[in-house]
C-alpha cells in the first residue's frame, strides 16, 4: 500500500431540500479492506450462536418408572417393562429411546456449549470486510436491497439526521433520499413466520431494510425505531450480525457525516492504527492488484519471462503415427531408401520374370520342334537325347509349361 | 531442418549398404552349404546370436525366480516382447522362464516389422513412438546409430552397441495372436506354445504384430 493513499471522495447529502454546495468527504480506508466472504461466514456463524438460550430436556423424562426386563423365555423382547398390574401401562416397554414414553437418546443437557469464542482479530477482520462490502453496489443489490434510486453508495448524509426526533421526519427523510423503496419492500413482505416460532412470540418475519449509522444519538434512535425494517446503530459498536445478516455481506447503510468520518479513526488504516482498538491495523489483502491478466500481460513481467518450453506430452495427447506398412509417407520418413528398395525389387522381379519367360519359351519351342520332327527323324531325337528319354522329355516339357 | 536432411541422406546410404549386406549374408550361407555338400561334409551354421522373446503367460501365480527374470528382461506383461542377445548366461535365464515365454530367432523382416510398426523409444523415461529418425539420432548418435535401418541392423546383427540399441527400445507390446494359441501349458516341442520355437517365431510375430 502506498503511503499517500489516493482516496476517493464521497458526497454528503442534506436530509431535506436542496443545498447550494454539496460537501465532499474522503472515503475512509475501511472501505478498501479486503472483502472476505469466507471470514465473514465463519465469524457470523459463530457469533450468531452467542445469543442462544440454554435449553434441555428434563433430566427425569422417561426415567420415572421402575421397569425391569422380563429376561428371556417369555416370547417377548428383552426391553425393560413396567412392573405391576391393573393398568394398561403394566408390562409396557420403558426406558429405551425406542420405547413409547421412554427417555430420548442422549438427553439434551444444559451444559452444552452454546456460545463460541472467536478471535478478536478475526471478528474485526469480518467487520471491516462487511463495511467494505456496504460500499459495493452489486453486493448490496445482490443482498436484496432496493438501491436503484439512491444518489450514491456509500450513502452519507448530513449530521442533522442525528437530531431528528419524530418518526414522520424520519420517513420523510427516507423518501427524500430514495431509501424508502427498501422500507416499502419490508412492509410488503411482512409475513407470519413459518414454523412453530409463530406461537412462541416470534410471530412475524420481516426483511432487513436500511441501517442508519450515527455518531451521536440526539433523537435519531427513537425517530427510526418504529419504521419496519430500519435499524440504527452507533458507529462505535457496529455489529457483524447486522452488517452482514445471514452472513450475506452488503447491508444497505445510511451513514451520518460524523459517523462516516469516525470510521477512519475507529478502524484505522494500513499505516495508522485504530485509535479505539488497540494495536489494530486494517487487514491487508493477499493481492493488492487483483487484475491477474493485466499483471501477466504487463511489460515488467513479459520482459523477464523465459522462453516457452515445448509442451511435455506425458499427460497429453499421444502422438499418433500411421502404420508405416500402410502409409508410404511415414515409411519414407523413417527409411528414405524404401522407395528405391521397392523399385530395385520390382526391377529384379521383372528381370527374373523375363529370364524365366525366355527359358520357358525356349523349351516350349524345342518341344514343338521335337513334335514336328519326331515321326520323321529319329536321329535328331538321338542328338537331343542329352535331355533324357522320350518319356522323360515329355515330363520335363510339361513341367516347364507349368 | 538441415540436421534432418543430413540424417536422411545418411539413412539412405546406410540402408542401401545394409540391403546389400543382408543379401550377401544369405548368399554366403547358401554358398558355404553347397560347398560343404560338394565336399561331402556338413556346414554347421553359426549359432544364433539374437532371440526375440514374447511373454505368453499372465502375471498371476508366477514363482519368484521366473518373476524376477521376467522383470529383468522387461517382460512385465503378457504379450510383451523383447530382443535378447544369446549367450550362455542369457540362455540359462531363458531356461528358467521357458514356461512363461516363447522365443526364437527372428529374421530381418521380423526385426524390421517390429521396430517400424511397434517400435517405441524410451525418451526421458517416457514411451514414445518412433516417428522420425531424429529421435534415434538424438539418443544413439554417439553409437553411430542415426536411423531406423541402423537400429534394425544393430539389433539383427547384434553389433557392438546392441545393448544401447536394445535399451533404447521400449519392450514391444504385441497383440494376442490372430488365430490363437493351441495350449500355452505345453512346450512348443510338445504341440504347445511355450519355449524355444526357433524360426517359427517369425510366423508367430506376424500374427501378433
Amino acid at each position: 500500500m502506498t503511503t499517500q493513499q489516493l482516496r476517493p471522495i464521497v458526497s454528503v447529502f442534506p436530509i431535506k431540500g436542496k443545498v447550494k454546495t454539496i460537501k465532499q468527504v474522503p472515503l475512509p480506508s475501511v472501505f478498501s479492506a479486503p472483502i472476505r466472504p469466507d471470514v465473514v461466514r465463519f465469524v457470523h456463524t459463530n457469533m450468531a450462536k452467542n445469543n442462544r438460550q440454554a435449553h434441555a430436556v428434563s433430566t427425569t423424562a422417561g426415567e420415572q418408572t421402575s421397569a425391569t426386563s422380563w429376561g428371556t423365555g417369555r416370547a417377548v423382547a428383552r426391553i425393560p417393562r413396567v412392573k405391576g398390574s391393573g393398568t394398561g401401562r403394566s408390562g409396557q416397554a420403558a426406558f429405551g429411546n425406542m420405547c413409547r414414553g421412554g427417555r430420548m437418546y442422549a438427553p439434551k443437557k444444559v451444559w452444552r456449549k452454546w456460545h463460541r469464542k472467536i478471535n478478536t482479530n478475526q471478528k474485526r477482520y469480518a467487520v471491516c470486510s462487511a463495511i467494505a462490502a456496504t460500499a459495493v453496489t452489486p453486493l448490496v443489490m445482490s443482498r436484496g436491497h432496493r438501491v436503484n434510486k439512491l444518489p450514491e453508495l456509500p450513502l452519507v448524509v448530513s449530521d442533522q439526521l442525528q437530531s431528528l426526533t419524530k418518526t414522520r421526519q424520519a420517513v420523510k427523510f427516507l423518501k427524500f433520499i430514495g431509501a424508502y423503496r427498501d422500507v416499502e419492500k419490508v412492509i410488503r413482505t411482512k409475513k407470519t413466520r413459518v414454523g412453530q416460532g409463530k406461537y412462541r412470540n416470534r410471530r412475524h418475519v420481516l426483511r432487513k431494510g436500511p441501517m442508519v449509522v450515527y455518531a451521536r444519538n440526539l433523537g435519531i434512535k427513537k425517530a427510526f425505531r418504529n419504521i419496519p425494517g430500519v435499524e440504527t446503530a452507533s458507529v462505535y459498536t457496529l455489529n457483524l450480525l447486522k452488517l452482514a445478516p445471514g452472513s450475506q455481506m452488503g447491508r444497505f447503510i445510511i451513514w451520518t457525516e460524523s459517523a462516516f468520518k469516525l470510521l477512519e479513526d475507529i478502524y484505522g488504516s494500513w499505516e495508522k492504527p485504530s485509535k479505539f482498538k488497540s494495536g489494530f491495523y486494517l487487514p491487508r489483502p493477499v493481492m493488492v492488484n487483483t487484475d491477474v491478466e493485466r499483471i501477466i500481460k504487463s511489460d515488467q513481467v513479459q520482459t523477464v519471462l523465459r522462453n516457452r518450453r515445448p509442451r511435455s506430452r506425458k499427460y497429453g495427447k499421444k502422438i499418433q503415427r500411421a502404420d508405416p506398412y500402410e502409409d508410404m509417407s511415414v515409411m519414407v520418413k523413417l527409411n528414405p531408401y524404401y522407395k528405391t528398395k521397392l523399385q530395385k525389387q520390382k526391377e529384379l522381379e521383372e528381370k527374373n520374370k523375363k529370364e524365366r519367360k525366355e527359358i520357358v519359351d525356349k523349351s516350349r519351342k524345342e518341344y514343338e520342334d521335337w513334335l514336328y520332327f519326331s515321326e520323321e527323324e529319329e536321329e535328331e531325337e538321338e542328338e537331343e537325347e542329352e535331355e533324357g528319354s522320350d518319356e522323360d522329355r515329355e515330363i520335363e516339357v510339361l513341367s516347364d509349361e507349368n | 531442418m538441415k540436421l534432418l536432411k543430413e540424417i536422411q541422406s545418411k539413412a539412405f546410404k546406410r540402408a542401401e549398404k545394409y540391403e546389400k549386406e543382408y543379401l550377401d549374408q544369405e548368399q554366403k550361407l547358401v554358398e558355404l552349404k553347397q560347398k560343404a555338400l560338394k565336399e561331402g561334409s556338413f556346414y554347421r551354421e553359426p549359432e544364433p546370436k539374437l532371440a526375440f522373446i514374447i511373454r505368453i503367460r499372465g502375471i498371476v501365480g508366477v514363482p519368484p525366480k521366473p518373476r524376477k527374470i521376467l522383470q529383468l528382461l522387461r517382460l512385465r506383461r503378457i504379450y510383451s516382447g523383447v530382443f535378447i542377445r544369446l549367450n550362455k548366461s542369457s540362455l540359462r535365464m531363458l531356461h528358467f522362464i521357458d514356461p512363461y515365454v516363447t522365443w526364437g530367432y527372428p529374421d530381418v523382416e521380423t526385426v524390421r516389422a517390429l521396430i517400424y510398426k511397434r517400435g517405441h523409444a524410451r525418451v526421458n523415461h517416457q514411451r514414445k513412438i518412433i516417428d522420425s529418425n531424429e529421435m534415434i539420432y538424438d539418443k544413439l548418435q554417439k553409437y553411430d546409430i542415426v536411423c531406423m535401418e541402423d537400429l534394425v541392423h544393430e539389433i539383427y546383427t547384434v553389433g557392438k552397441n546392441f545393448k544401447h540399441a536394445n535399451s533404447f527400445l521400449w519392450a514391444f507390446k504385441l497383440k494376442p495372436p490372430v488365430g490363437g494359441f493351441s495350449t500355452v501349458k505345453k512346450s512348443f516341442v510338445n504341440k504347445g506354445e511355450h519355449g524355444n520355437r526357433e524360426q517359427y517365431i517369425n510366423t508367430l510375430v506376424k500374427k501378433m504384430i
Side-chain angles (χ1 to χ4, degrees):
Chain A
M1 291 271 111
T2 55
T3 45
Q4 270 301 317
Q5 179 74 5
L6 195 71
R7 292 203 268 131
I9 299 277
V10 177
S11 306
V12 179
F13 294 95
I15 61 167
K16 64 180 176 204
K18 284 188 187 171
V19 146
K20 271 189 202 160
T21 48
I22 286 199
K23 196 171 174 193
Q24 306 270 317
V25 163
L27 188 74
S29 309
V30 212
F31 290 97
S32 313
I35 294 176
R36 290 284 300 272
D38 55 323
V39 177
V40 169
R41 173 172 297 157
F42 173 77
V43 176
H44 185 280
T45 49
N46 287 308
M47 219 182 238
K49 294 175 186 171
N50 291 343
N51 66 349
R52 296 196 287 186
Q53 287 183 344
H55 61 267
V57 137
S58 167
T59 44
T60 57
E63 307 275 16
Q64 292 175 39
T65 48
S66 61
T68 318
S69 171
W70 286 356
T72 54
R74 298 260 237 126
V76 289
R78 292 180 278 170
I79 192 84
R81 293 179 183 277
V82 175
K83 293 217 187 76
S85 58
T87 171
R89 182 71 174 137
S90 49
Q92 282 184 346
F95 285 144
N97 52 309
M98 66 287 240
C99 303
R100 182 175 181 276
R103 142 217 38 83
M104 67 178 276
Y105 162 74
K108 299 187 187 129
K109 304 290 182 199
V110 279
W111 56 81
R112 172 191 293 210
K113 186 172 150 197
W114 300 105
H115 305 95
R116 293 288 180 274
K117 271 169 131 171
I118 311 148
N119 302 340
T120 309
N121 213 39
Q122 270 183 327
K123 286 191 272 194
R124 287 171 182 170
Y125 197 126
V127 170
C128 289
S129 266
I131 293 170
T134 63
V136 182
T137 319
L139 285 177
V140 179
M141 284 178 85
S142 84
R143 231 209 123 257
H145 294 291
R146 308 296 188 249
V147 292
N148 292 346
K149 303 290 182 186
L150 292 183
E152 191 175 3
L153 258 188
L155 186 60
V156 186
V157 143
S158 129
D159 275 344
Q160 287 177 336
L161 189 71
Q162 291 172 166
S163 317
L164 289 187
T165 50
K166 303 293 274 177
T167 309
R168 195 187 306 127
Q169 292 170 337
V171 171
K172 204 167 162 194
F173 156 72
L174 288 173
K175 286 185 179 167
F176 168 75
I177 209 77
Y180 199 67
R181 280 193 70 224
D182 213 22
V183 178
E184 279 175 341
K185 173 198 92 185
V186 173
I187 296 166
R188 195 170 21 100
T189 57
K190 179 176 178 181
K191 277 198 168 71
T192 312
R193 187 182 291 263
V194 174
Q196 285 141 342
K198 68 165 98 44
Y199 40 80
R200 295 184 182 172
N201 309 326
R202 291 170 247 136
R203 187 152 186 98
H204 299 288
V205 189
L206 279 178
R207 298 285 98 76
K208 294 258 182 246
M211 186 156 113
V212 182
V213 177
Y214 56 85
R216 283 185 68 198
N217 174 26
L218 301 169
I220 185 175
K221 257 179 106 167
K222 286 213 188 133
F224 283 94
R225 193 166 64 181
N226 206 25
I227 308 174
V230 179
E231 282 174 333
T232 53
S234 160
V235 74
Y236 295 100
T237 53
L238 286 173
N239 187 352
L240 180 73
L241 301 176
K242 300 242 170 69
L243 290 173
S247 77
Q248 177 81 316
M249 291 191 290
R251 184 81 189 265
F252 169 28
I253 299 182
I254 303 169
W255 308 88
T256 59
E257 190 194 330
S258 36
F260 198 67
K261 283 188 196 160
L262 271 169
L263 283 174
E264 185 69 22
D265 289 335
I266 293 170
Y267 294 100
S269 65
W270 295 279
E271 275 78 48
K272 286 201 326 209
S274 155
K275 285 194 183 137
F276 297 89
K277 304 174 196 296
S278 92
F280 179 72
Y281 288 83
L282 268 187
R284 283 170 199 286
V286 173
M287 283 182 85
V288 169
N289 178 9
T290 48
D291 194 347
V292 179
E293 211 180 306
R294 190 151 157 261
I295 292 170
I296 290 172
K297 286 185 180 162
S298 72
D299 285 335
Q300 293 99 310
V301 171
Q302 289 291 325
T303 49
V304 189
L305 294 176
R306 61 162 167 73
N307 284 330
R308 193 177 202 165
R309 288 206 192 115
R311 219 169 284 186
S312 152
R313 294 271 180 178
K314 191 170 186 180
Y315 299 111
K317 212 172 69 162
K318 275 193 189 165
I319 307 171
Q320 292 299 333
R321 181 208 73 183
D323 180 4
Y325 289 100
E326 288 177 10
D327 189 348
M328 183 56 82
S329 61
V330 177
M331 186 47 135
V332 171
K333 190 177 174 198
L334 293 171
N335 184 6
Y337 181 69
Y338 191 70
K339 272 201 173 144
T340 322
K341 176 177 154 186
L342 286 180
Q343 251 178 12
K344 286 199 173 166
Q345 273 181 359
K346 209 174 173 186
E347 284 170 11
L348 194 69
E349 242 184 75
E350 282 181 6
K351 187 170 133 213
N352 287 341
K353 208 174 171 186
K354 214 167 150 189
E355 277 178 19
R356 245 182 293 127
K357 191 163 185 281
E358 281 177 6
I359 294 169
V360 168
D361 285 348
K362 184 165 167 243
S363 63
R364 188 176 288 142
K365 186 167 178 292
E366 283 173 353
Y367 175 65
E368 282 172 3
D369 288 347
W370 169 81
L371 269 178
Y372 187 70
F373 294 115
S374 65
E375 288 170 354
E376 294 181 33
E377 282 140 330
E378 286 180 30
E379 288 172 8
E380 282 173 276
E381 267 187 316
E382 285 175 336
E383 279 177 22
E384 289 163 350
E385 269 244 322
E386 279 180 34
E387 295 171 350
S389 65
D390 289 353
E391 289 169 344
D392 289 326
R393 213 154 153 253
E394 277 178 353
I395 294 164
E396 269 194 320
V397 170
L398 281 170
S399 66
D400 275 340
E401 280 176 350
N402 284 345
Chain B
M1 272 307 280
K2 194 178 167 202
L3 181 65
L4 183 63
K5 275 194 180 153
E6 281 179 37
I7 295 169
Q8 294 294 71
S9 69
K10 259 193 196 164
F12 188 93
K13 290 192 195 119
R14 288 189 184 188
E16 205 173 12
K17 185 178 86 179
Y18 296 142
E19 287 299 319
K20 192 165 179 297
E21 191 184 307
Y22 300 140
L23 265 165
D24 287 347
Q25 245 179 30
E26 270 182 56
Q27 279 181 359
K28 195 174 168 195
L29 199 64
V30 171
E31 274 175 32
L32 285 167
K33 276 191 180 161
Q34 283 183 344
K35 187 171 162 209
L37 212 69
K38 261 199 199 140
E39 292 172 1
S41 69
F42 300 95
Y43 176 67
R44 187 183 177 208
E45 288 174 42
E47 283 178 9
K49 288 185 282 182
L50 176 72
F52 187 66
I53 320 173
I54 305 171
R55 182 174 179 157
I56 53 174
R57 285 190 82 154
I59 56 175
V60 178
V62 182
K65 207 189 207 111
R67 189 157 30 117
K68 181 65 179 180
I69 295 173
L70 288 164
Q71 277 177 26
L72 291 171
L73 293 170
R74 298 188 289 160
L75 297 164
R76 278 182 187 265
R77 57 146 67 178
I78 195 171
Y79 308 133
S80 57
V82 289
F83 288 110
I84 185 174
R85 182 209 310 264
L86 287 177
N87 49 36
K88 183 166 180 207
S89 26
S90 64
L91 279 166
R92 301 281 287 148
M93 285 169 95
L94 288 174
H95 176 73
F96 274 110
I97 58 168
D98 257 353
Y100 303 93
V101 300
T102 184
W103 56 282
Y105 317 130
D107 60 23
V108 184
E109 281 314 311
T110 308
V111 176
R112 252 206 207 110
L114 281 166
I115 294 179
Y116 276 83
K117 190 166 179 190
R118 299 267 177 232
H120 289 252
R122 189 167 56 88
V123 176
N124 276 338
H125 308 286
Q126 294 170 24
R127 178 174 179 263
K128 291 195 171 169
I129 199 160
I130 304 172
D131 58 352
S132 151
N133 286 327
E134 272 186 304
M135 267 181 102
I136 301 173
Y137 180 86
D138 283 339
K139 272 268 159 178
L140 298 174
Q141 181 218 352
K142 57 175 163 233
Y143 306 111
D144 201 28
I145 302 170
V146 301
C147 59
M148 285 290 251
E149 280 299 311
D150 267 342
L151 196 59
V152 168
H153 179 257
E154 193 67 29
I155 298 280
Y156 178 65
T157 57
V158 189
K160 263 199 292 183
N161 294 308
F162 175 83
K163 173 193 157 80
H164 299 110
N166 202 14
S167 70
F168 168 75
L169 290 168
W170 199 277
F172 296 92
K173 288 198 204 173
L174 302 171
K175 299 192 292 191
V178 174
F181 282 135
S182 59
T183 164
V184 171
K185 293 195 177 160
K186 287 195 189 161
S187 69
F188 186 77
V189 167
N190 287 322
K191 301 183 202 160
E193 299 291 346
H194 75 237
N196 188 2
R197 58 170 71 203
E198 302 196 0
Q199 75 269 32
Y200 295 102
I201 196 75
N202 294 300
T203 52
L204 181 63
V205 169
K206 277 202 180 66
K207 289 190 202 167
M208 291 178 79
I209 203 161

